[in-house]
């Protein structure tokens, strides 16, 4: 006898509704297969192969199933581990953390919280709280991903938590920058089947334009056109678009008078970048820029969005600022079909409120080891992790990684490989013994999302069609797998700190109950419903202004004073880009359907013939100019490092641009044997690390538009 359990996928933003078919009862229950949930009120049966095949991760024989303790020397690879019981492991870890804390203070301890935590509602609450209680330093994958968005929204809206999403169902013009909806399913918007939404715009006679150095899989006659751009130059395109719209006299002065401040300062900044001036640097003809400005501002309802391809350039914060401004000055912000705020079950824009000074957001800088530093939503720059471990004064001595793999996800692999063995203690909480875990003193086996309860709170504010679901654990955790919140709460107890486990009836999701109350819902009610899922009424577009914007006077800052230095630097970078040699190759990222950052690499089914490594994709003209053919072995190098790769000629790339997938490089990851058999190269060896490798305003790492050169492999 089998039954079907309603659940949803926790791999990426859409959170697709799923049905898990379960055979057996209690501890013997097994997930037989996973199907799309066609009746799901939010996602309507959309799902991709990663979610539908997640049971292969759930049952992967390489999973961590018991706590492991290192028995080989620090840094020795491959590492040797032996199994120990939970009590033993946690007592050992607790005692060592406590000793380090007493000797050197909490800041000698650090946490690194990786991306899957974002979809893990109990861990998302427990992990930052644990490190705060310790007074520890804190890092997260956000500074490799999107922290520019937090910094920009803080300054512009007064909250890191407001990210107006494109109202694709009602747009007749959509500008998509540095994002590949078909492959990634987008980020900072939780929408099932985004490609269907793009098709809808084109079918209605509207226009979709993909601004990208690569003609992505999202560019088709039915889903939009391609506007090729030189990497790391989006700021100048956005500035030119706003300026040309101003020139056309199309600023919505009524909206700006009602909701904006410092509009003249914005005007003055963008006036530095007329279309004629930015054409050569962006690689986009002036008349094309003027035509887009005209079409965008003339559209009945135009929206726009940007993602990691722009975040990871050198000026992601300013880009996100101008993206908001393009929406605002054309009257599209908070308007049907424009960019809207959809609070869902709780208006979370009120969280993450910026500190203010006068009428503007301010940043609290402090002295870092190498100059002024800030935290962004509590996080230090991941690109300084190696520096903090290696520094003489007050170094990090203990690191706890939760659902992350910084060795492969952060720039400068060689620096982290050198730094990790210097730690007195490295603890890794993961599904796998991943590349970073190879350096661990303790590896702790975590439950996956079929084995735990979750609520889709990540979607708060990001769902154009809002819904809430409380998914029960489909089956009990297998073997000795445990949840993150429980591990950290046990450690708190062992270290004499207040802990959730002090309660007789600990509920790691209890914090969400208060938020649910705002919509007249409760955990108890959702737990009682078989599907656990409720569609919520969409909000009126104007709530962006009433419930979203958090600056004291309710206005939007069109030219935040905290950007002054970065605005001046924008001109220096412009001059630098303009002076670059024509034949300089620039490296960008390339997500595929067959990888998910550095994980899912142990899933055999994703290792199809063309997907067993991560070649260097190259435009035909660039290959021809260098006498290269498909399959040639190369060394890709720059001042940061070098890697080996094979050439793949790829006509989808703009000339001068090469692309490689990240998350590969598992030659030394015996804990993931499928991944190790198809190791690929870690492209992040070519990325910068350290003090000049991230955007100062936001701690966001620079990861695209990286200058590289090529030579034949020996
Ligand atoms: N060159 C380059 N580098 C990049 C990027 C890029 O585009 N180009 N993208 C960046 C981005 S956007 C991101 S978000 C980061 C991601 O950076 P990270 O978060 O550091 O890395 P992931 O590869 O997502 O690794 C996630 C780890 O969590 C584990 N895991 C999965 N589910 C769970 C769970 O439920 N519990 C626990 N405890 N562990 C779990 C997986 O096994 C894996 O080891 O990478 C960044 N790095
Ligand atoms: N299959 C799959 N899906 C994923 C992931 C995955 O690894 N695999 N990762 C998940 C995660 S953690 C995230 S954050 C999201 C990210 O979602 P997206 O941001 O959509 O990720 P990408 O597909 O890497 O798209 C980035 C795009 O930016 C382009 N680009 C690179 N440099 C520039 C530039 O300078 N300017 C412009 N305009 N474009 C540029 C690239 O060509 C690429 O098409 O995806 C999520 N979904
Ligand atoms: S699109 Fe993302 S959330 Fe949906 S099934 Fe695929 S991996 Fe899961
Ligand atoms: Mo990400």
């Amino acid at each position: 006898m089998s039954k079907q359990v309603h659940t949803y996928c926790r791999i990426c933003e859409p959170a697709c509704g799923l049905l898990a078919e379960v055979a057996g009862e209690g501890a013997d229950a097994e997930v037989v297969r996973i199907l799309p949930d066609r009746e799901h009120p939010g996602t309507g049966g959309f799902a991709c192969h990663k979610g539908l095949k997640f049971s292969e991760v759930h049952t992967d024989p390489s999973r961590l199933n018991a706590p492991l303790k290192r028995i080989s020397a620090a840094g020795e690879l491959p590492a040797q581990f032996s199994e120990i019981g939970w009590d033993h492991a946690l007592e050992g870890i607790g005692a060592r953390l406590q000793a380090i804390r007493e000797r050197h203070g909490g800041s000698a301890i650090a946490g690194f919280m990786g991306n899957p935590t974002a979809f893990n509602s109990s861990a998302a609450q427990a992990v930052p709280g644990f490190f705060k209680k310790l007074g520890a330093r804190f890092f997260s994958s956000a500074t490799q991903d999107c922290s520019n968005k937090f910094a920009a929204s803080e300054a512009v809206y007064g909250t890191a938590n407001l990210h107006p999403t494109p109202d694709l169902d009602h747009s007749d013009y959509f500008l998509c920058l540095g994002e590949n909806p078909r492959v990634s399913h987008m980020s900072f918007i939780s929408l099932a089947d985004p490609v269907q939404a793009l098709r809808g715009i084109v079918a209605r006679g509207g226009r979709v334009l993909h601004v990208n150095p690569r003609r992505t899989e999202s560019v088709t006659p039915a889903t939009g056109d391609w506007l090729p751009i030189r990497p790391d130059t989006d700021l100048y395109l956005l500035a030119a678009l706003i300026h040309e719209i101003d020139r056309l006299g199309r600023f919505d002065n009524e909206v700006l008078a009602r909701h904006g401040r410092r509009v003249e300062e914005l005007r003055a900044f963008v006036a530095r970048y007329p279309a004629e001036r930015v054409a050569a640097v962006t690689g986009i003809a002036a008349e094309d820029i003027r035509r887009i400005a005209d079409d965008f501002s003339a559209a009945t309802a135009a929206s726009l969005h940007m993602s990691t391809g722009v975040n990871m350039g050198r000026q992601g914060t300013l880009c996100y600022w101008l993206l908001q401004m393009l929406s605002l000055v054309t009257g599209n912000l908070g308007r049907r079909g424009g960019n809207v705020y959809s609070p869902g079950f709780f208006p979370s824009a009120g969280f993450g409120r910026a500190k203010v000074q006068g009428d503007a957001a301010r940043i609290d800088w402090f002295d870092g080891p190498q100059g002024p530093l800030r935290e962004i939503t509590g996080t230090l720059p991941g690109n300084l992790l190696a520096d903090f471990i290696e520094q003489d004064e007050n170094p990090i001595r203990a690191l706890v990684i939760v659902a992350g793999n910084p060795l492969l996800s952060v720039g400068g692999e060689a620096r982290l490989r050198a730094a990790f063995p210097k730690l007195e203690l490295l603890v890794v909480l993961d599904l796998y013994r991943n590349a970073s875990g190879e350096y661990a003193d303790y590896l702790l086996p975590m439950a996956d999302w079929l084995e735990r309860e979750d609520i889709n709170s990540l979607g708060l504010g990001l769902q154009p069609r809002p819904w809430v679901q409380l998914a029960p654990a489909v089956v009990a955790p297998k073997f000795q797998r445990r949840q993150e919140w429980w591990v950290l709460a046990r450690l708190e107890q062992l270290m004499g700190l207040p802990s959730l486990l002090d309660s007789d009836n600990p509920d790691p999701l209890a914090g969400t109950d208060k938020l649910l109350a705002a919509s007249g819902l409760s955990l108890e009610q959702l737990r009682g419903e078989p599907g656990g899922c409720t569609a919520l009424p969409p909000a009126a577009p104007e709530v962006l202004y009433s419930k979203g914007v958090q600056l004291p006077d309710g206005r939007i800052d069109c030219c935040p004073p905290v950007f002054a230095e970065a605005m001046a630097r924008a001109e220096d970078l412009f001059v630098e880009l303009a002076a670059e040699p024509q034949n300089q190759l620039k490296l960008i990222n390339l997500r595929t359907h067959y990888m998910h950052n550095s994980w899912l690499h142990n899933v055999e089914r994703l290792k199809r013939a063309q997907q067993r490594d991560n070649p260097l994709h190259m435009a035909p003209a660039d290959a021809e100019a260098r006498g290269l053919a498909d399959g040639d072995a190369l060394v890709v190098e720059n001042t940061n490092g070098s890697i080996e790769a094979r050439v793949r000629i790829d006509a989808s790339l703009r000339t001068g641009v090469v692309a490689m997938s990240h998350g590969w490089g598992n030659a030394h990851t015996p804990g993931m044997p499928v991944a190790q058999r198809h190791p690929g190269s870690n492209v992040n060896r070519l990325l910068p690390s350290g003090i000049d490798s991230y955007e100062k305003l936001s701690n966001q790492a620079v990861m695209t538009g990286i200058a590289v050169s090529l030579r034949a492999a020996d």
Side-chain angles (χ1 to χ4, degrees), residues 269-496:
F269 176 72
V270 297
R272 294 178 201 165
Y273 303 107
E276 314 79 75
R277 182 162 184 242
V278 306
V281 159
T282 56
I284 305 170
E287 62 265 28
D288 288 337
I289 297 176
R290 278 193 289 265
R291 185 182 36 81
I292 298 164
D294 186 4
D295 291 348
F296 190 92
S297 56
T300 314
S303 63
L304 72 174
H305 204 239
M306 66 179 237
S307 191
T308 59
V310 184
N311 296 347
M312 294 175 182
R314 287 177 291 181
Q315 307 187 80
T317 301
L318 296 192
C319 288
Y320 201 51
W321 159 48
L322 291 191
L323 185 116
Q324 312 306 316
M325 291 304 111
L326 188 45
S327 182
L328 178 70
V329 301
T330 53
N332 280 297
L333 192 68
R335 173 162 96 184
R336 177 72 56 233
N339 280 58
V340 297
Y341 175 48
S342 168
F345 66 83
F346 180 81
S348 62
F351 295 150
R353 223 175 258 155
K355 304 227 173 87
V356 292
Q357 186 167 9
D359 61 15
R362 71 159 211 265
I363 296 174
D364 284 340
W365 297 95
F366 57 91
D367 286 335
Q370 304 173 63
L373 205 59
R374 73 166 301 187
E375 287 180 349
I376 180 78
T377 57
T379 299
L380 292 163
N383 276 17
L384 289 186
L385 182 57
D387 300 69
F388 272 109
I389 297 171
E390 301 254 20
Q391 73 194 19
D392 294 329
E393 205 177 310
N394 190 18
I396 290 171
R397 296 164 195 270
L399 177 65
V400 180
I401 301 175
V402 185
N405 195 6
L407 198 69
L408 300 187
S409 66
V410 174
E413 178 192 327
R415 296 194 63 216
L416 282 172
R417 277 198 193 276
F420 280 167
K422 296 185 180 142
L423 291 164
E424 289 171 33
L425 178 68
L426 176 60
V427 181
V428 171
L429 282 68
D430 208 282
L431 309 185
Y432 286 99
R433 175 176 158 189
N434 65 14
S436 307
E438 208 48 26
Y439 291 87
D441 297 292
Y442 291 92
L443 285 165
L444 302 179
M446 291 300 110
D448 59 57
W449 50 261
L450 291 169
E451 301 170 324
R452 64 167 195 253
E453 185 183 54
D454 268 312
I455 181 163
N456 66 326
S457 35
L458 177 79
L460 279 179
L462 301 174
Q463 295 172 299
R465 308 166 199 151
W467 51 274
V468 58
Q469 182 167 7
L470 191 115
V474 172
V475 291
K478 301 280 168 203
F479 307 100
Q480 296 186 55
R481 300 173 190 171
R482 291 284 198 161
Q483 285 191 54
E484 294 78 2
W485 73 266
W486 178 86
V487 173
L488 300 179
R490 270 303 289 148
L491 286 173
E492 286 166 351
Q493 285 189 316
L494 289 164
M495 296 173 75

Side-chain angles (χ1 to χ4, degrees), residues 112-116 120 141 144-145 308 312 402-406 408-410 429-432 434 446-449 452 484 589-591 596-599 662-663 672 683-684 687 703:
F112 181 96
M113 184 172 80
N115 173 267
N120 183 337
S141 56
Q144 316 306 122
D145 179 348
T308 59
M312 294 175 182
V402 185
N405 195 6
L408 300 187
S409 66
V410 174
L429 282 68
D430 208 282
L431 309 185
Y432 286 99
N434 65 14
M446 291 300 110
D448 59 57
W449 50 261
R452 64 167 195 253
E484 294 78 2
N589 302 313
L590 178 65
R591 279 180 166 73
H596 202 85
N597 296 326
S598 78
W599 67 297
H662 68 285
M672 298 173 69
V683 65
N684 288 3
L687 301 187
M703 309 181 93

Side-chain angles (χ1 to χ4, degrees), residues 44-58:
F46 180 75
C48 84
H49 64 164
K50 286 176 291 175
L52 297 173
K53 294 294 170 219
F54 190 74
S55 42
E56 297 189 18
V57 172
H58 175 66

Side-chain angles (χ1 to χ4, degrees), residues 448-688:
D448 59 57
W449 50 261
L450 291 169
E451 301 170 324
R452 64 167 195 253
E453 185 183 54
D454 268 312
I455 181 163
N456 66 326
S457 35
L458 177 79
L460 279 179
L462 301 174
Q463 295 172 299
R465 308 166 199 151
W467 51 274
V468 58
Q469 182 167 7
L470 191 115
V474 172
V475 291
K478 301 280 168 203
F479 307 100
Q480 296 186 55
R481 300 173 190 171
R482 291 284 198 161
Q483 285 191 54
E484 294 78 2
W485 73 266
W486 178 86
V487 173
L488 300 179
R490 270 303 289 148
L491 286 173
E492 286 166 351
Q493 285 189 316
L494 289 164
M495 296 173 75
L497 297 164
S499 165
L500 187 58
L501 288 171
D502 299 340
S503 142
D504 296 335
N505 193 10
D507 182 352
L509 297 183
T512 317
D513 228 10
K514 295 188 202 88
L515 314 187
L516 285 167
S519 296
L521 297 164
S522 70
L523 286 172
E524 193 187 337
Q525 180 191 343
L526 292 175
R527 281 177 179 140
E529 284 171 20
C533 184
T534 306
L536 300 164
E542 310 76 51
V543 302
L544 185 138
Y545 296 105
S546 55
K547 290 193 178 161
V549 180
Q550 301 288 329
L551 282 170
D553 57 3
R555 283 174 180 271
I556 293 172
D557 198 336
C558 297
C559 194
V562 290
F563 290 172
E565 212 179 305
M567 286 161 60
R569 179 169 170 261
E571 184 58 24
D572 300 340
L573 293 178
F574 186 85
V575 172
E576 188 188 309
L577 284 161
E580 247 167 27
Q582 281 301 311
N583 61 351
Q584 175 62 63
L585 291 177
K586 292 282 182 89
L587 176 70
I588 65 166
N589 302 313
L590 178 65
R591 279 180 166 73
T592 77
H593 286 298
Y594 303 93
M595 45 66 76
H596 202 85
N597 296 326
S598 78
W599 67 297
L600 301 191
H601 279 286
N602 212 55
V603 178
E604 190 82 64
R605 197 188 285 263
L606 297 180
K607 301 293 173 196
R608 302 194 183 167
Q610 290 287 304
Q611 310 295 340
R612 292 189 181 141
D613 66 353
N614 56 334
L616 180 82
H617 291 244
M618 195 174 204
D622 287 325
E624 200 180 325
R626 290 164 180 79
L628 293 169
D630 216 51
D632 283 359
L634 282 180
V635 174
V636 190
E637 58 190 358
N638 60 17
T639 51
N640 304 312
S642 70
I643 56 174
E644 291 182 10
R646 287 180 309 100
V647 173
R648 183 165 303 163
I649 312 282
D650 183 346
S652 71
L653 281 165
R654 188 188 186 285
T655 325
V657 178
V658 288
M660 258 181 110
S661 293
H662 68 285
W664 294 76
N666 280 304
H668 304 289
T669 316
M672 298 173 69
V674 177
Q676 194 178 27
R677 232 179 302 127
H678 309 290
S681 293
N682 181 7
V683 65
N684 288 3
R685 283 172 168 263
L686 299 169
L687 301 187

Side-chain angles (χ1 to χ4, degrees), residues 63-75:
R63 280 280 296 273
L64 282 172
N65 287 328
L68 300 178
K69 184 179 179 185
R70 185 183 204 88
I71 49 176
S72 51

